[in-house]
Amino acid sequence: MSSRHLRKLQSAFAAAVYEGRVPAALAELIVGDGLAPAARLGLYRNNTVLNLGDALAAAYPVLQRLLGADCFRALARAYIGAHPSRSGDLHDYGDALADFLAGLPELAALPYLADVARLEWRVHRAYFAAEAAPCDLAALL
């Protein structure tokens, strides 16, 4: 299989997982083992949404508390639909949530939520950042 063909197949699979539609060319390649291709991809879709939702909840605990668990889950589903993951590292997911919040008319009366999200994202990134080399005090003198 060529790398171009593999890339096209992976893109079709990702679209099927995020959008819920299964192109015929992709359905032919899925071994059902008793499940229809759409049902099998539905398993991937559910796991993807749950994992990304959990990643958002871990990165934004204050926002989750401010909104409440049910509202945060609904927000997470909407965000996941609008912003599919582009990384295999779940710690990278959620960087655009603040801008997403700022653009939601339903939350226009709560503009501070986007600021809370911006702060939480920076704390999250700092926590998972690589350790910096210690400063050489002799170099400062």
Side-chain angles (χ1 to χ4, degrees), residues 14-69:
V17 168
Y18 280 103
E19 299 167 15
R21 60 178 174 77
V22 184
L26 182 61
E28 292 174 6
L29 299 173
I30 297 173
V31 177
D33 258 354
L35 287 176
R40 184 150 305 273
L41 279 171
L43 296 172
Y44 280 95
R45 180 174 175 71
N46 289 340
N47 284 327
T48 298
V49 170
L50 286 172
N51 287 331
L52 293 177
D54 287 349
L56 290 172
Y60 296 98
V62 175
L63 187 62
Q64 183 179 21
R65 193 142 181 194
L66 289 170
L67 292 172

Side-chain angles (χ1 to χ4, degrees), residues 94-139:
D95 63 325
L97 186 63
D99 291 337
F100 183 76
L101 283 169
L104 290 175
E106 302 87 350
L107 298 177
L110 305 169
Y112 64 90
L113 290 176
D115 291 332
V116 169
R118 282 184 189 90
L119 176 60
E120 282 199 285
W121 183 251
R122 285 173 176 81
V123 169
H124 172 78
R125 294 307 296 165
Y127 183 82
F128 290 102
E131 292 291 324
C135 179
D136 179 10
L137 292 178

